[in-house]
Each structure stands twice: as structure tokens, then as C-alpha cells.
Amino acid sequence: MLQAAPLKKEERRAMSRYGMGLIVVTVFVVAAAATHSGLSSGMTVDSAKSAVPEFSDEERGRIFDGVMRISDAPVTEMVAPEVADSLPEEVPMQDLPSDIIREIPLVRGHKFVKFDDRILVVSSASRLVVAMIPRYKLLP
């Protein structure tokens, strides 16, 4: 069986520096990837997509009513993205009514987009769809 020759002090020091350098580069690459994808420390891709506000049925109804009162809000003519998907850059977002923002603090920093069959609540900063509210009301 062959045995490796013992490393000299300089060789051990060089390997140690190389290993530390590799670790530092790896940390920077991971941090850059997390920043680019909109993740913060301690969040995975799945937890970032699920880290959206959860609106109660009453809040969803209030958002629906507030948006439907805006008669001149344009209706977007394209396939609507799903919750946790990004809204394409070319789709304009509309400001939520100020009374809704005061009443439901969770919508602060969000906008909406009207579609034929739904209203999307979208994060202003990331354009991430955080909620979908159907444009019909269920009977009690």
C-alpha cells in the first residue's frame, strides 16, 4: 500500500488558504444568488413563495368591493399568472384604494390588477402575485 509523503509546513499553509478562499467564494456566490432571487437569510425558495400575506375572507371581500368601485381601472387582456408567480413587466399595476390600505394594513406596499375573471393583489416591489380574488361572490 502506498503512503502519501508528509506535507511540508508551507504546503499545509497553502492548502489551508486555498480551502478558506474556496469557502469565502462559496459564501459570496450563495449570498448573491439569494439576493438575486429575492430571498433573505433563513428563507428557502418554497418559504419565499409561501411568505405572502394571508387575507381572511372578510378582507378579501373588502379588497374586492374596493377595487370594483374603481370603474375606470383597466381590465388586463392576457392569461393571469398564478399566486406566487411574477407579474410580467408589461402588465400595469393599479394603486389600491387608500381606505382599503388603512383598513387592511397587510395590503400596504401592494397594488392590484383586474382580469376578466379575477383580481390579483401584487407586491409593488417584486411584482410577485400574493393573492387571487375571483370576480364573483359566493352565496352565503
Side-chain angles (χ1 to χ4, degrees):
M1 182 156 130
L2 295 174
Q3 286 200 343
L7 296 175
K8 296 179 185 170
K9 188 176 184 180
E10 297 84 26
E11 291 171 333
R12 282 195 308 271
R13 192 173 296 148
M15 288 182 71
S16 176
R17 284 188 197 133
Y18 173 76
M20 286 302 293
L22 188 59
I23 290 170
V24 169
V25 168
T26 303
V27 168
F28 279 123
V29 168
V30 169
T35 301
H36 178 69
S37 66
L39 302 176
S40 61
S41 62
M43 292 180 70
T44 65
V45 172
D46 290 336
S47 66
K49 284 192 173 184
S50 66
V52 296
E54 289 290 326
F55 299 114
S56 68
D57 289 341
E58 182 179 335
E59 290 170 331
R60 293 167 76 80
R62 287 291 300 125
I63 294 167
F64 175 87
D65 291 339
V67 167
M68 293 310 290
R69 283 195 315 262
I70 305 171
S71 59
D72 61 344
V75 176
T76 302
E77 301 292 329
M78 67 170 277
V79 176
E82 297 295 321
V83 173
D85 287 345
S86 291
L87 186 70
E89 288 291 327
E90 62 272 6
V91 178
M93 300 184 295
Q94 310 298 316
D95 291 329
L96 285 160
S98 57
D99 60 325
I100 297 298
I101 295 171
R102 278 193 304 276
E103 193 176 317
I104 307 169
L106 280 177
V107 298
R108 189 172 312 281
H110 293 81
K111 295 187 180 230
F112 76 91
V113 179
K114 257 189 193 180
F115 288 85
D116 273 341
D117 62 342
R118 67 191 75 193
I119 297 166
L120 298 181
V121 179
V122 182
S123 169
S124 302
S126 66
R127 298 185 68 86
L128 186 73
V129 177
V130 299
M132 187 279 296
I133 302 170
R135 283 186 64 181
Y136 57 84
K137 289 201 172 189
L138 297 175
L139 297 174

